[in-house]
Amino acid sequence: MSLTMNRNRFIYKCTDCGREYNGRDTIYLCPSCSAANTAAEPPSGVLNVLYDYPDVQKRNPDFDCLKKSGFIDLLPIASVKSLPPLRVGSTPLYTVNNIGSEKVDFRLHLKDDSQNPTWSFKDRASALVSAYARENGFETIVAASTGNAGSSLAGICASQGQRAVVIVPEKAPLAKLTQIIMYGATLVPVKGTYDEAFDLSIRASSEFGWYNRNTAYNPLTTEGKKTVSFELYDQLKYSVPDRIFVPVGDGVIISGIYKGFEDLLLLNIIDRMPVIVAVQSEKSDNLVRNIPLKKFTVIPSSTLADSISVDIPRNFLMTRRYMQKYGGEAVTVTDEEILGASSLLSRTTGLFAEPAASAAFAGLLSYRHDNRIREDSDNVVMLTGSGLKDLKAVSGIISMPRSIYPSVDELRSLFP
Ligand SMILES: [Zn+2]
């Protein structure tokens, strides 16, 4: 590492050209690589946050030391006191023995990140972005979002007394838009796509001096999301799971999970990486389909899983690099499989996940169907958001029962 570490002991490193930038400055994409970015391809120049790992190791000889200090030596902020007062992360990991009426012959763990304050995984990124803004004098944070990142930013900012501006495509699900307004953020629906909202928010940042939370564009989004890896390692009693099934849209959550485990690898706390399975909908497979291709091609997304409906994955290049380096796997599932998985998950575990999260479970079911899961292995499914966030998505697979008169006879007729 050539640059001197700043007081927070971190630098930014471009995942494409390898240039390093001082952590003292607020920067987004690598200025050198991003100059030639176009709207038709995933951006180059996404930055990674790196630490002086030998120094971190000296200060924290084991995982428990890191945990006791809230992992502050692995975060790009000065103090954990800058983080929101809400409980972000520390979500439950449930181990289940059955899927429906069938016993599973491997260990299956469900990481329920719908238990975050705004009911999605995105709070992990928003919390870190909000803390950074607090420490660096930004009063307003702007984000473009299909819903979850925006509602997350709005809620986290409400808890910190910060102003949030959220730019969304106007067709985002009503529950997420309602959340944004209830949290007191300024909601800006645009007549256009997520990609257009994304570009507008970047222009707003440079025009008005607002801090930008856009996924991947702000390197702290990946960095905040990595905390789930530390939790998984802890909850699995200091072991690395064999496979982690992750729903993928922009590729930021999956990169965050890689980054968290890679930090632990660089600190010699773990000696192997998990196999991470990128799960996409067949109707929005722009990330996994392009991994082996030389030229990026877009097929317009139409999946009902709005959180992972992405045409240009913002963190494609980093995700591809991680997957190639650490033997990542990919699977696509149909929207019907996603809805089926959502229903099965709800009925048999009591966890009602939004379609994107159910996609990850559908990915696991597909692996299980193909006998690709070793007996005695540890498998984690990332449930990244609550089903209550998008009730419309499941409206087609449920039927509301008709009303009865409040008589026992009528009730009896329902149970012949
Ligand atoms: Zn670069």
Side-chain angles (χ1 to χ4, degrees), residues 75-91:
L75 294 174
I77 52 172
S79 166
V80 287
K81 290 191 181 122
S82 309
L83 290 163
L86 303 172
R87 192 221 59 202
V88 176
S90 303
T91 56

Side-chain angles (χ1 to χ4, degrees), residues 77-377:
I77 52 172
S79 166
V80 287
K81 290 191 181 122
S82 309
L83 290 163
L86 303 172
R87 192 221 59 202
V88 176
S90 303
T91 56
L93 182 72
Y94 299 112
T95 302
V96 298
N97 299 316
N98 295 288
I99 298 176
S101 55
E102 292 170 31
K103 201 167 160 37
V104 282
D105 53 11
F106 48 83
R107 285 183 296 281
L108 173 57
H109 313 281
L110 306 173
K111 181 67 170 164
D112 185 13
D113 250 53
S114 72
Q115 296 302 305
N116 275 304
T118 76
W119 300 283
S120 94
F121 192 99
K122 306 284 167 97
D123 288 341
R124 295 178 184 273
S126 299
L128 187 60
V129 166
S130 164
Y132 181 91
R134 221 176 124 176
E135 290 185 355
N136 292 276
F138 291 102
E139 282 165 15
T140 302
I141 310 176
V142 62
S145 166
T146 56
N148 274 341
S151 52
S152 168
L153 179 68
I156 295 297
C157 282
S159 80
Q160 296 257 64
Q162 293 167 317
R163 184 169 159 229
V165 178
V166 184
I167 305 178
V168 297
E170 60 184 346
K171 61 173 189 195
L174 184 63
K176 296 175 185 179
L177 301 182
T178 306
Q179 266 186 292
I180 294 168
I181 296 170
M182 286 304 290
Y183 290 133
T186 305
L187 175 70
V188 185
V190 292
K191 296 180 194 308
T193 62
Y194 168 57
D195 297 309
E196 287 166 317
F198 200 99
D199 294 337
L200 178 60
S201 78
I202 290 173
R203 290 208 297 276
S205 288
S206 65
E207 191 77 18
F208 308 122
W210 298 340
Y211 190 44
N212 194 301
R213 184 225 177 274
N214 280 7
T215 202
Y217 178 72
N218 184 328
L220 270 57
T221 52
T222 314
E223 200 59 13
K225 289 174 180 184
K226 77 176 183 185
T227 55
V228 74
S229 306
F230 303 157
E231 283 173 31
L232 286 174
Y233 178 71
D234 190 24
Q235 290 170 314
L236 291 170
K237 301 190 171 55
Y238 299 180
S239 73
V240 179
D242 296 285
R243 274 203 183 88
I244 306 176
F245 292 80
V246 184
V248 169
D250 271 313
V252 177
I253 291 180
I254 189 170
S255 294
I257 296 172
Y258 271 121
K259 175 60 162 52
F261 281 106
E262 192 177 55
D263 276 356
L264 298 182
L265 193 68
L266 290 168
L267 293 169
N268 296 311
I269 288 170
I270 61 174
D271 57 9
R272 71 179 174 97
M273 292 288 281
V275 172
I276 301 186
V277 184
V279 186
Q280 289 208 291
S281 164
E282 275 185 359
K283 290 182 173 172
S284 176
D285 66 348
N286 287 308
L287 193 143
V288 300
R289 184 173 36 76
N290 276 289
I291 285 178
L293 305 183
K294 281 213 169 69
K295 170 103 185 100
F296 192 89
T297 58
V298 178
I299 296 177
S301 304
S302 59
T303 176
L304 59 82
D306 71 289
S307 300
I308 51 170
S309 182
V310 172
D311 287 350
I312 311 273
R314 300 283 162 172
N315 213 25
F316 171 70
L317 297 173
M318 188 193 284
T319 304
R320 178 163 70 181
R321 201 157 284 141
Y322 271 133
M323 288 180 70
Q324 288 175 340
K325 184 171 181 188
Y326 294 119
E329 297 173 352
V331 64
T332 55
V333 291
T334 64
D335 275 11
E336 291 69 34
E337 287 171 321
I338 291 174
L339 287 176
S342 176
S343 169
L344 182 62
L345 191 65
S346 303
R347 281 186 283 117
T348 63
T349 67
L351 299 172
F352 178 25
E354 72 169 343
S358 303
F361 188 59
L364 172 115
L365 294 177
S366 160
Y367 265 58
R368 178 171 177 250
H369 178 264
D370 296 342
N371 285 319
R372 293 181 69 183
I373 304 183
R374 223 184 50 235
E375 257 184 57
D376 235 26
S377 59

Side-chain angles (χ1 to χ4, degrees), residues 14 16-19 30 32-33 45:
C14 176
D16 294 311
C17 70
R19 277 191 184 81
C30 165
S32 172
C33 290

